[in-house]
Amino acid sequence: MGTRHELAASALEDLPITVALIDENGEILLTNRSWREFGPADGPTDHVGVDYLANATTAEDEHARRAVEGIEAVLAGDRDAFSMEYPCHSPDQQRWFLMRVTQFSHEGRRLASLVHLEITDRKLAEIAAEENERRIREERKTVEHVLERVDGLVTEITDAAVGAETRAALERDVCTRLTDTEPYVLAWTGRVDVTRRRLSPREWDSRDDVPLEDDELVLESDESHPAVRAFVDHEPQVIDDIDAFDDADRWWPVGAGERFQSVAALPLAYGDVTYGVLVVFADETDAFDERESLVLESLAGTVATAMNALEARRMLTSEAVVSIEVAVEDPSLFVTSLSERVDATISYRGLTYDADETPQLLLYADREIDQEAVLAPDADVRDLSVLSKNDGGTLLEVTAGDGPVTALNEHGAVVQELSVSDGVADLAVEFPDSRSARSAYDLLERRYDRVELISYHEQEEPSQRPHDVSARLESSLTDRQLLALRKAYHANYFEWPRDISGEELADSMDISRSTFHQHLRTAQRKVLEELFD
């Protein structure tokens, strides 16, 4: 084993940090392998005899000046130790080091050890942490600003929704309040003409007279427009950079790109009813990030809820009803497939409900049909049976599932007429309001291949509506009495000659003939009481 000095020298030589010993004048007395390998290839191999302080003093930077002052203070005995961190970057790499200077004595001489420890990994982690903290601070400021702005906007939109007397006033107020909020520069609401299949701006507002796109949009051919896509797909649509949008020149005026940088279009939907769209333009790109989009979706929901409330209020005070006529061409429609299967024109007679509230349709085929011919059920049919045959025709009873008649009935519709021939179903329906009509029409379009709107118009109803009388009657009749009355009426039992007998109707209700007539007479008496009392 060597001497203690040899062991110390060997340990110093193999340390994975750069170490040098200097005397009181700053001259290098000893270096280890790491120190020698760190230096340039064409420089001194061990740097022994080099004046470290003189070399450091020639370097014209703040870090060298601080290092020299610290080392001189240690060698002068003014301090026992000194340390500092400094960068030592190369053209292709960033590096940082920690220099530590420690005083010690040997044979009466004041010496110092210089240790340079690379701390690049730690420094990069600190820089990343500082950058992350800076980003978090900026995001917090942004969120606080957005929340402050959004809170005011939500409050204003809610106030507008609550205080509006008409839908037009609501839409104008919403557009104005949106354009009073940066970075929005233009806002408009659009409504759809279901007859002409057009979407048009109805109310709008802008900052600094920003122009409004004034062309009608055709739902079938203008599908690239975000407003059309929002209405048809029932989903918000966002264009982050209008300049990069292929159809920008087609939809927005030349030069509008100076003010229009991004756009969001949102459907104004309440439940399954879409009242229109809300379109908002901003004067900066990427204005509608996820957070902003969620806020606008919430605002659109608030506006649609207010529209629904206004519609309900108008419905309660108005005596208008909406009538539409549509043609549906789709072989999956059960009345269409039935017409083709039995080679007959099928017409609708009426709708009844059994004791379990299961809907039952009465249909009439213009030729005699055997039960075997109608056994094959459709997806929308649970059961189909022949009630009676007369005058070359057949009365059918259908226990319906989720078919068009029952679905329309759930929207408050009254089916006035339904007939099917040559693969086309002609349907005339009456609704209590335009909201229900729009909802039902959208339902038909979603379900069937081809739906064509033939007519749409509103008309006044008498002060006492038929469904008001019907509601009172339904409350006074038992389920069996109501079912017997409805079946007898829709099956033309009260016609002469009768299309069906009491025995056939009783069989369809799975009751005796005498019980059927008892239910029917009681129901007739209550109808007459409503009429004459």
Side-chain angles (χ1 to χ4, degrees):
M1 180 179 292
T3 65
R4 293 175 58 191
H5 292 295
E6 291 174 340
L7 287 173
S10 179
L12 178 67
E13 181 71 8
D14 294 332
L15 281 175
I17 56 177
T18 59
V19 180
L21 303 180
I22 63 175
D23 64 13
E24 62 272 17
N25 297 317
E27 182 179 321
I28 297 177
L29 303 177
L30 177 68
T31 61
N32 70 346
R33 183 184 297 114
S34 295
W35 183 288
R36 294 191 296 274
E37 292 176 349
F38 185 80
D42 56 353
T45 57
D46 59 8
H47 300 85
V48 173
V50 173
D51 188 339
Y52 185 86
L53 291 178
N55 284 343
T57 302
T58 59
E60 298 180 356
D61 65 70
E62 177 64 20
H63 299 293
R65 184 190 64 77
R66 286 181 55 213
V68 170
E69 290 178 353
I71 295 171
E72 289 178 341
V74 171
L75 293 175
D78 295 336
R79 54 193 306 177
D80 294 331
F82 168 76
S83 65
M84 64 172 285
E85 296 178 3
Y86 64 94
C88 184
H89 304 321
S90 66
D92 58 351
Q93 185 181 10
Q94 286 188 316
R95 295 184 300 182
W96 286 264
F97 290 86
L98 168 67
M99 184 183 75
R100 187 179 296 277
V101 184
T102 306
Q103 181 195 114
F104 69 97
S105 298
H106 178 69
E107 296 179 353
R109 299 176 63 188
R110 182 180 289 126
L111 307 177
S113 63
L114 301 179
V115 177
H116 293 264
L117 176 65
E118 185 171 1
I119 57 171
T120 299
D121 290 343
R122 193 203 79 194
K123 201 69 178 177
L124 289 175
E126 290 177 353
I127 292 174
E130 291 174 358
E131 176 64 21
N132 188 53
E133 183 180 359
R134 181 194 63 78
R135 187 174 64 254
I136 290 174
R137 285 197 304 269
E138 291 180 354
E139 288 181 354
R140 183 182 296 115
K141 289 181 181 178
T142 300
V143 169
E144 290 173 352
H145 172 71
V146 169
L147 289 177
E148 181 180 355
R149 178 175 63 83
V150 165
D151 183 60
L153 184 58
V154 170
T155 300
E156 290 181 356
I157 296 297
T158 302
D159 289 344
V162 172
E165 292 295 329
T166 65
R167 176 174 170 179
L170 169 62
E171 294 179 8
R172 280 196 301 272
D173 207 357
V174 167
C175 293
T176 300
R177 292 171 191 262
L178 282 169
T179 54
D180 284 341
T181 305
E182 294 183 351
Y184 308 144
V185 293
L186 171 66
W188 61 265
T189 57
R191 303 188 198 179
V192 171
D193 183 334
V194 294
T195 305
R196 299 173 56 242
R197 306 294 290 162
R198 300 290 194 272
L199 188 153
S200 306
R202 295 295 294 269
E203 305 294 339
W204 69 286
D205 193 71
S206 69
R207 275 196 279 132
D208 304 327
D209 295 324
V210 174
L212 171 71
E213 49 184 331
D214 56 3
D215 289 336
E216 288 185 325
L217 301 173
V218 182
L219 297 186
E220 281 72 22
S221 60
D222 293 334
E223 66 278 358
S224 66
H225 194 289
V228 173
R229 296 208 315 272
F231 182 83
V232 173
D233 297 341
H234 307 284
E235 293 288 343
Q237 303 292 327
V238 173
I239 298 175
D240 292 318
D241 185 357
I242 287 180
D243 287 339
F245 182 55
D246 291 340
D247 286 337
D249 292 339
R250 177 183 177 189
W251 300 127
W252 298 295
V254 176
E258 299 175 3
R259 297 301 308 275
F260 296 167
Q261 298 296 317
S262 55
V263 59
L266 305 104
L268 296 173
Y270 180 85
D272 57 358
V273 179
T274 302
Y275 291 98
V277 292
L278 172 63
V279 184
V280 184
F281 291 86
D283 59 3
E284 58 187 48
T285 58
D286 301 312
F288 304 100
D289 57 17
E290 182 178 0
R291 182 170 46 230
E292 195 83 2
S293 296
L294 287 174
V295 171
L296 287 177
E297 287 180 46
S298 177
L299 291 177
T302 300
V303 174
T305 301
M307 289 180 175
N308 178 72
L310 290 170
E311 188 89 6
R313 185 196 310 169
R314 187 189 68 81
M315 185 177 66
L316 291 173
T317 58
S318 171
E319 295 182 349
V321 294
V322 176
S323 298
I324 67 171
E325 294 181 16
V326 296
V328 181
E329 191 171 351
D330 189 325
S332 68
L333 182 64
F334 85 84
V335 286
T336 302
S337 63
L338 175 63
S339 173
E340 293 178 351
R341 188 163 66 243
V342 301
D343 190 24
T345 297
I346 302 295
S347 57
Y348 171 75
R349 284 285 183 86
L351 178 67
T352 64
Y353 292 87
D354 65 12
D356 297 327
E357 294 299 317
T358 301
Q360 296 179 321
L361 278 66
L362 295 179
L363 303 176
Y364 183 77
D366 66 351
R367 59 180 291 267
E368 290 193 13
I369 301 170
D370 294 330
Q371 179 66 44
E372 291 75 14
V374 296
L375 285 179
D378 292 88
D380 293 334
V381 175
R382 299 178 189 173
D383 188 29
L384 198 157
S385 60
V386 173
L387 279 184
S388 66
K389 302 176 187 178
N390 48 46
D391 296 334
T394 305
L395 185 65
L396 304 170
E397 183 177 59
V398 180
T399 302
D402 187 23
V405 174
T406 52
L408 290 171
N409 189 64
E410 290 174 358
H411 285 73
V414 176
V415 178
Q416 303 291 339
E417 181 182 346
L418 170 60
S419 63
V420 185
S421 61
D422 299 326
V424 178
D426 294 311
L427 180 64
V429 191
E430 185 177 276
F431 296 91
D433 55 82
S434 58
R435 176 192 62 180
S436 301
R438 284 194 301 271
S439 176
Y441 184 79
D442 290 342
L443 172 69
L444 293 174
E445 276 204 315
R446 291 194 298 270
R447 283 195 177 188
Y448 303 112
D449 290 344
R450 180 175 175 270
V451 178
E452 181 182 357
L453 183 63
I454 305 301
S455 68
Y456 176 103
H457 62 274
E458 297 184 6
Q459 59 189 16
E460 292 297 318
E461 243 192 3
S463 58
Q464 176 161 296
R465 305 177 185 181
H467 59 257
D468 295 334
V469 177
S470 177
R472 290 197 299 271
L473 279 172
E474 288 183 12
S475 65
S476 65
L477 296 174
T478 67
D479 292 337
R480 284 302 208 184
Q481 291 166 1
L482 182 59
L483 181 59
L485 186 62
R486 279 179 166 166
K487 277 201 170 187
Y489 175 75
H490 293 307
N492 286 346
Y493 177 76
F494 300 112
E495 298 291 333
W496 189 260
R498 289 171 174 165
D499 288 350
I500 191 171
S501 68
E503 186 172 357
E504 289 173 314
L505 288 172
D507 288 342
S508 72
M509 294 177 61
D510 197 24
I511 57 178
S512 68
R513 182 172 180 273
S514 60
T515 302
F516 169 76
H517 282 291
Q518 180 182 353
H519 289 323
L520 184 59
R521 282 194 296 271
T522 303
Q524 288 175 298
R525 177 176 54 81
K526 291 181 179 180
V527 170
L528 294 174
E529 286 175 353
E530 178 66 33
L531 178 63
F532 295 118
D533 286 353

